[in-house]
Amino acid sequence: MNYKKIAFVTHPQETHWVGDGFKVHNFIPGIPGLEMKDMDPFILLDYNAKMEVTPSDTPRGVGVHPHRGFETVTIAYNGKVQHHDSAGNGGIIGTGDVQWMTAASGVLHKEYYEKEWSRQGGTFQMVQLWTNLPKADKMSTPGYQAIPNETMGRYVLPGNSGFVEVIAGKYNDVEGPAHTHSPISLMNARLNPGGKATFSFPESYNTALLVVQGSILANEIDVPENNFVKFENKGEVFTVEATEPDTVVLIMSGKPLHEPIVAYGPFVMNTKQEIMQAFDDLNHGKFGYLED
Ligand code: MN
């Protein structure tokens, strides 16, 4: 078989807070030697590993802030997040659900623990992934896809191995519901101990995985919980085998856009001029209005 080799396995970096609700390990582009272009079209990966949240009547989170030029993909593994944006979209991202927000020409949004969940508190665990938009789509109309868990594609693996939950792209003949602006595969492998799944993506695609729960052998190499694996752009096939019960692995692969990336804070564009324009537009109220 034409195996895709592992470029590196890395443990989580030090955490930082996003607002007062999200305590994240940044993997993309925070790993030394891994720049945004190296995982193109995945330009940011923030991971809130499991943490206990104490009950509070005032939900923690991050207040009103802008985005332009890309998409934010929020995957809730434990806990609930409430979202509102200036395009008028909003919703609750429950445990197991995904929200795919296309900021495109620009939105203001805020992200908080869901009120009722916050009152009860509990285990919180989440991924936020930023997917870049092709130049042609950066200034298009903002969009929003709520992807509840039950709408995801589900491929049941043979021999009580578990299943693959498809958010975007395809696993064998099972397709995910997310609409993407470039070829992107995003899926969770939910595996029983000894459960095995084989993945295949074109070698030019940038491919990585994150062990969200449990532990795995990736191509026979040990990868513990909360570790990230970046694959080389050589070969197509890799295998994941769970070595613990209830193992969950987030797998991402995407065709690189190969366009210039100029990122500044919440804006990701192609030129410096476009970043300056974004600040100008923000200051002139062109991102709309959202109450704090
Ligand atoms: Mn945001």
Side-chain angles (χ1 to χ4, degrees):
M1 266 218 247
N2 186 16
Y3 276 103
K4 202 184 255 315
K5 281 202 183 125
I6 289 174
F8 58 80
V9 178
T10 188
H11 59 81
Q13 307 287 301
E14 266 179 53
T15 55
H16 68 271
W17 283 93
V18 178
D20 64 1
F22 310 109
K23 188 186 179 189
V24 302
H25 302 282
N26 174 260
F27 284 99
I28 309 168
I31 297 166
L34 188 78
E35 294 173 37
M36 281 185 172
K37 67 174 172 44
D38 299 321
M39 270 305 291
D40 173 18
F42 306 105
I43 47 178
L44 180 137
L45 174 61
D46 272 349
Y47 174 49
N48 196 133
K50 269 183 204 164
M51 70 175 183
E52 290 307 310
V53 171
T54 50
S56 168
D57 286 340
T58 313
R60 283 151 53 183
V62 53
V64 176
H65 60 281
H67 290 298
R68 171 181 279 182
F70 60 98
E71 304 178 291
T72 64
V73 182
T74 306
I75 310 167
Y77 287 100
N78 279 290
K80 284 185 182 173
V81 175
Q82 189 137 22
H83 164 268
H84 291 97
D85 70 42
S86 55
N89 293 309
I92 295 164
I93 314 160
T95 297
D97 298 344
V98 170
Q99 178 217 67
W100 201 296
M101 187 189 78
T102 307
S105 63
V107 294
L108 301 174
H109 80 157
K110 53 183 179 181
E111 302 152 275
Y112 284 98
Y113 302 154
E114 191 266 333
K115 230 179 172 145
E116 208 40 56
W117 186 85
S118 177
R119 269 193 198 115
Q120 315 230 327
T123 306
F124 187 80
Q125 186 184 25
M126 200 192 69
V127 161
Q128 192 168 86
L129 186 64
W130 291 7
T131 57
N132 206 359
L133 284 170
K135 187 180 172 59
D137 296 320
K138 280 189 180 289
M139 291 301 283
S140 62
T141 309
Y144 181 92
Q145 300 173 73
I147 306 175
N149 190 270
E150 62 270 19
T151 67
M152 293 174 190
R154 183 183 279 228
Y155 182 91
V156 177
L157 298 159
N160 199 32
S161 277
F163 60 94
V164 176
E165 201 171 70
V166 189
I167 302 161
K170 249 180 169 186
Y171 185 79
N172 292 335
D173 54 344
V174 174
E175 214 166 323
H179 167 76
T180 65
H181 292 78
S182 64
I184 286 175
S185 290
L186 190 65
M187 46 195 80
N188 285 311
R190 294 184 182 266
L191 303 172
N192 297 320
K196 216 171 175 175
T198 302
F199 296 87
S200 179
F201 301 108
E203 67 179 9
S204 62
Y205 283 29
N206 289 320
T207 303
L209 64 77
L210 175 68
V211 180
V212 172
Q213 188 165 283
S215 64
I216 60 166
L217 292 171
N219 287 350
E220 320 279 308
I221 290 169
D222 263 308
V223 187
E225 189 167 87
N226 300 336
N227 276 230
F228 176 90
V229 174
K230 163 92 166 72
F231 290 92
E232 284 184 7
N233 293 104
K234 269 181 208 160
E236 293 178 342
V237 178
F238 64 90
T239 59
V240 169
E241 184 180 345
T243 50
E244 280 179 55
D246 302 318
T247 289
V248 182
V249 188
L250 175 66
I251 288 134
M252 67 204 80
S253 183
K255 183 182 184 181
L257 301 173
H258 291 309
E259 290 175 348
I261 301 170
V262 181
Y264 193 92
F267 307 131
V268 183
M269 302 301 289
N270 303 111
T271 67
K272 261 186 199 161
Q273 174 58 37
E274 288 166 346
I275 295 288
M276 286 177 344
Q277 187 66 50
F279 278 104
D280 203 50
D281 289 349
L282 180 66
N283 291 335
H284 286 88
K286 290 190 182 164
F287 282 58
Y289 176 76
L290 186 64
E291 205 173 313
D292 225 330

